[in-house]
Amino acid sequence: MSYAFDDEDVKTWLPHDSFPEEVREHTGLIYAHNAAFERLIFWYVLQINFKLEQFYCTATQARANCAPGSLEDVGRFAGASMRKDHRGGQLIRLLSIPRADGTFNDDHELMAEMIAYCEQDVKVMRLVSQSMRPLSEDELWDYHINERINDRGLLVDVALANSAVKYASDELGEIETLVDEITQGEVTSVRSSKMKKWVMDRVGEDALKLMEKYKDGEKKYSIDKTVRANLLIYADENPDQVPPDVADVIQCADDIWASSVAKFSRLAQLSDEEDHRVRGAFVFNGGSATGRASSYGAQLHNFARKCIKQPDPVREAMVNGEAIVPRFGKRVTDVLKGMLRPTIIAPPGQVLVVADWAGIEARCNPWLSKQSDSEDVLDVFRSGKDIYVREAASIFSCSEDEVTDSKRQIGKVAILSCGYGGGIGAFAAMGRNYGVVLPESDARRTVNAWRRANSWAVRYWQDLEEAYTAALRNPGYEFAAGRVVYMYDRQHLWYALPSGRVLCYPYAKLDSEGISYAKSAWKPAADATEWPRARLWKGLACENITQAAANDVLRNSLRQLDEEGYASIGHVHDEIIIQCKAEDGEAVKARMDEIMCKTPDWASGLPLDVEIKISTRYGK
């Protein structure tokens, strides 16, 4: 263990030495990169019970400053050498992994190099932390809440997860055989490049347009997830454009590429062998542009939203090895997707209370804009009316009574895709999630109609662009747009949220093409000479602000629930999961409703509503 106090020299302790009392008796903060590792080593290996609240994670600090969480990458991100040093990983493989006979390499030269490397890591971590904005008291509090959630863990139905993996494995062989038969041997695997050409040669001209993608202004053709979804929806009404056999092959590709299989496998592998809980699943501030959490390992944030309505009989059939199609669905893959969330369960005698804010982004966006006519949208929420019906009525120039289910669905897609400046491409991409596919001309008319009916949004996007551009041109001065304030410090473009939390676009630059910034989530190519950069535009700024503010609402509720002793075991996007005794379920539901619907002090006028479900299995 290499360590240092404040700015003192770095010291190293080795297991054959007596443990340093100055460390054992320390009562202040303990800074560490990905501090959960050090904390768990102290607690469960060294048996030193530091308080959770003593730990300060510098990886979390980096992400809160919109930088990469990896210590290895932070220096490169800041403009230091782009060469990646892999020596630390090599030393761990050489010294920390037992050899075939169970013994460890005890080479003294390698050990000396390991100690030097470890001490250098402490120095780098300290410099990185000191060079960045420190975590605020609230951010540190939120981090500790997240760590308590991680420590509680999520209980996994391991028998269900293992059976799902088996079903998927059996299905894989059947799918490959089917593809081979349909294509008469021309395509032996949907993972091969031949599949795209096979589809292109057989679809109609209109369907072929759905496969078009543009990269750097150059038209290319794709068969990616979005394209497959659009083609399958299009095939239902246009079999002349997408023949049934082609649709079958596309569906096979979708089934094989489905990520549910890997997720079931990870859930089973990551669950503790003693209590079947997956711990450490949530990465605090994982979404650096917004501060939202992300998932590690189990990847809960990417679970399919669709769930089997009655999962218990499906579970029983799967564990018993019975046929699950067509009894529970048309395809095995669809059934497995629907059983992914229900694999997370409550212990016997307990329940999960799952609360989800209703349309939180659709509420936050107009509120954040501070436009006078955006109040009309907020009034729809305040009255309890259906916002999607209201939008559809505006788009189709009809009364709300004349809005059909299909028109309402178009209204929903329009809100979700157009609210952040999206055009027909965004409308088409969002539409595939809700079964909405319109010809390009109709999609364009829908987008234009939404913008005319929501002129507040168009003005707000323009205000944002003018504010952050003015900030870049006038370093050190603040420029407001809606409820957000921008400021450029000659290095980072900062923006302050209504809650007081600040985020930034790091290493921002203004040139003839607009504003660019270093994108922490993107990894540089092996031969890169600088960190990859992204372009800031008004739609992205609007989306980041909205999701960040929605995350502040989530954080505010998590703090209150934590203070009152409620055992949260997870938070996925705009959803909180509490585990409690079955007899307390209704009381917990009522209290969650009260806490989550109460507007934070900084968000006066923002209407909130939640949908809450009590069950023994996680679901939607």
Side-chain angles (χ1 to χ4, degrees):
M1 180 186 73
S2 294
Y3 65 97
F5 282 86
D6 301 320
D7 291 322
E8 296 177 7
D9 291 341
V10 178
K11 303 174 184 178
T12 297
W13 166 79
L14 297 173
H16 58 259
D17 298 328
S18 59
F19 193 81
E21 287 301 312
E22 60 179 349
V23 173
R24 187 187 301 276
E25 301 301 325
H26 183 62
T27 57
L29 287 177
I30 301 167
Y31 288 72
H33 210 76
N34 294 316
F37 176 81
E38 277 78 5
R39 176 169 62 84
L40 297 173
I41 291 292
F42 276 126
W43 286 3
Y44 298 108
V45 179
L46 297 174
Q47 300 287 297
I48 301 174
N49 295 319
F50 290 120
K51 296 177 181 178
L52 169 63
E53 290 75 16
Q54 287 182 255
F55 288 88
Y56 182 111
C57 180
T58 54
T60 291
Q61 181 189 2
R63 291 192 295 268
N65 282 273
C66 303
S70 164
L71 185 60
E72 193 173 46
D73 285 336
V74 168
R76 301 195 302 158
F77 184 74
S81 170
M82 286 297 292
R83 292 182 59 188
K84 197 164 186 173
D85 190 348
H86 297 284
R87 187 54 176 165
Q90 293 170 348
L91 290 168
I92 288 172
R93 285 190 292 273
L94 289 169
L95 297 173
S96 302
I97 298 175
R99 293 176 289 205
D101 62 359
T103 63
F104 287 86
N105 187 348
D106 196 26
D107 184 276
H108 292 294
E109 290 186 7
L110 288 176
M111 187 61 71
E113 189 179 355
M114 172 73 103
I115 292 171
Y117 194 94
C118 193
E119 291 184 348
Q120 180 62 23
D121 262 6
V122 175
K123 296 174 185 176
V124 170
M125 184 198 75
R126 181 166 59 186
L127 285 171
V128 166
S129 180
Q130 291 175 345
S131 70
M132 291 185 172
R133 175 188 69 84
L135 294 174
S136 68
E137 288 185 11
D138 280 347
E139 286 174 316
L140 190 56
W141 183 9
D142 294 333
Y143 164 70
H144 292 144
I145 290 171
N146 190 77
E147 290 305 283
R148 275 191 280 277
I149 291 171
N150 274 336
D151 288 354
R152 292 186 189 108
L154 301 149
L155 182 60
V156 174
D157 186 339
V158 176
L160 172 59
N162 286 331
S163 64
V165 173
K166 183 179 183 303
Y167 275 93
S169 178
D170 294 343
E171 178 82 346
L172 178 62
E174 295 175 12
I175 290 173
E176 293 284 18
T177 300
L178 181 61
V179 170
D180 185 66
E181 291 175 355
I182 294 174
T183 65
Q184 297 181 347
E186 290 188 47
V187 180
T188 56
S189 172
V190 293
R191 300 178 191 270
S192 74
S193 58
K194 294 181 181 178
M195 183 209 163
K196 180 173 71 176
K197 185 177 186 308
W198 188 89
V199 172
M200 290 175 63
D201 290 344
R202 286 162 178 79
V203 298
E205 186 177 338
D206 291 341
L208 191 61
K209 289 181 179 178
L210 294 174
M211 300 179 68
E212 292 178 1
K213 290 285 180 90
Y214 288 84
K215 185 174 183 181
D216 299 326
E218 182 181 352
K219 182 171 75 173
K220 296 184 178 182
Y221 291 91
S222 171
I223 194 70
D224 66 14
K225 181 179 179 180
T226 300
V227 170
R228 294 197 303 269
N230 287 337
L231 287 174
L232 288 171
I233 294 171
Y234 198 60
D236 290 340
E237 298 181 0
N238 302 275
D240 57 320
Q241 288 287 316
V242 184
D245 61 333
V246 177
D248 286 344
V249 171
I250 295 171
Q251 184 63 66
C252 286
D254 234 28
D255 290 346
I256 282 182
W257 285 107
S259 59
S260 301
V261 181
K263 286 183 171 61
F264 278 117
S265 180
R266 279 198 293 270
L267 283 173
Q269 292 170 359
L270 291 171
S271 62
D272 189 286
E273 62 181 17
E274 293 182 0
D275 65 5
H276 296 168
R277 285 189 174 271
V278 172
R279 294 181 171 84
F282 301 99
V283 180
F284 182 66
N285 256 328
S288 60
T290 61
R292 279 181 157 185
S294 61
S295 299
Y296 172 80
Q299 294 289 344
L300 266 78
H301 285 74
N302 294 330
F303 276 16
R305 292 180 62 86
K306 189 175 181 181
C307 289
I308 298 287
K309 291 184 178 179
Q310 299 293 332
D312 288 334
V314 185
R315 189 263 185 197
E316 184 178 359
M318 289 177 64
V319 172
N320 291 333
E322 301 169 7
I324 57 175
V325 293
R327 182 181 170 193
F328 300 112
K330 293 181 180 180
R331 292 179 298 274
V332 169
T333 305
D334 289 340
V335 177
L336 296 184
K337 284 182 180 179
M339 289 299 290
L340 192 51
R341 287 175 183 260
T343 306
I344 304 298
I345 59 176
Q350 300 197 30
V351 291
L352 302 179
V353 186
V354 183
D356 194 356
W357 275 279
I360 184 69
E361 291 185 32
R363 296 164 186 261
C364 283
N365 195 11
W367 178 79
L368 286 159
S369 76
K370 211 176 179 180
Q371 301 284 327
S372 58
D373 51 343
S374 68
E375 285 295 316
D376 295 341
V377 179
L378 296 173
D379 284 341
V380 175
F381 290 113
R382 292 175 184 131
S383 67
K385 292 182 179 179
D386 190 326
I387 188 65
Y388 302 136
V389 170
R390 184 259 195 191
E391 293 301 299
S394 298
I395 291 169
F396 292 100
S397 300
C398 64
S399 69
E400 293 188 7
D401 291 338
E402 295 175 296
V403 173
T404 61
D405 288 344
S406 60
K407 287 180 178 178
R408 179 186 181 276
Q409 201 74 335
I410 290 173
K412 182 175 184 176
V413 172
I415 289 178
L416 297 175
S417 61
C418 299
Y420 303 135
I424 57 174
F427 183 90
M430 184 62 68
R432 71 179 177 84
N433 294 326
Y434 296 93
V436 173
V437 175
L438 297 178
E440 182 176 327
S441 57
D442 289 350
R444 189 178 301 279
R445 279 195 293 271
T446 300
V447 171
N448 290 338
W450 187 90
R451 290 184 177 182
R452 285 194 299 272
N454 295 273
S455 57
W456 62 267
V458 180
R459 292 195 305 274
Y460 176 43
W461 304 332
Q462 190 60 38
D463 289 348
L464 289 172
E465 184 177 62
E466 290 175 0
Y468 62 65
T469 303
L472 260 293
R473 288 176 173 153
N474 300 274
Y477 289 89
E478 296 181 354
F479 295 86
R483 299 181 188 274
V484 173
V485 178
Y486 288 96
M487 195 274 287
Y488 179 56
D489 65 0
R490 299 185 184 276
Q491 188 173 53
H492 308 315
L493 173 62
W494 295 92
Y495 67 93
L497 295 161
S499 66
R501 186 161 63 97
V502 293
L503 290 161
C504 73
Y505 297 101
Y507 305 104
K509 295 178 182 177
L510 177 63
D511 56 31
S512 59
E513 296 182 12
I515 294 171
S516 68
Y517 63 98
K519 181 80 170 178
S520 65
W522 293 356
K523 295 296 183 184
D527 58 349
T529 56
E530 66 173 16
W531 198 273
R533 301 181 67 80
R535 286 285 167 188
L536 177 62
W537 67 288
K538 54 192 176 184
L540 176 63
C542 180
E543 181 179 32
N544 288 165
I545 291 164
T546 301
Q547 292 184 349
N551 183 250
D552 283 331
V553 172
L554 173 83
R555 292 185 183 198
N556 180 73
S557 292
L558 282 173
R559 289 174 206 151
Q560 293 183 62
L561 291 165
D562 184 70
E563 276 191 312
E564 295 184 20
Y566 291 99
S568 176
I569 61 167
H571 47 96
V572 181
H573 297 305
D574 304 308
E575 179 182 77
I576 296 176
I577 311 167
I578 297 287
Q579 179 183 298
C580 67
K581 294 179 181 178
E583 60 266 29
D584 296 336
E586 289 297 333
V588 172
K589 176 182 176 181
R591 185 58 181 141
M592 289 180 75
D593 183 88
E594 187 177 0
I595 288 174
M596 294 172 69
C597 288
K598 182 181 178 182
T599 304
D601 293 340
W602 51 263
S604 177
L606 173 63
L608 297 173
D609 190 24
V610 292
E611 298 168 354
I612 307 180
K613 179 181 178 182
I614 301 175
S615 63
T616 56
R617 292 182 180 273
Y618 178 43
K620 275 289 185 183

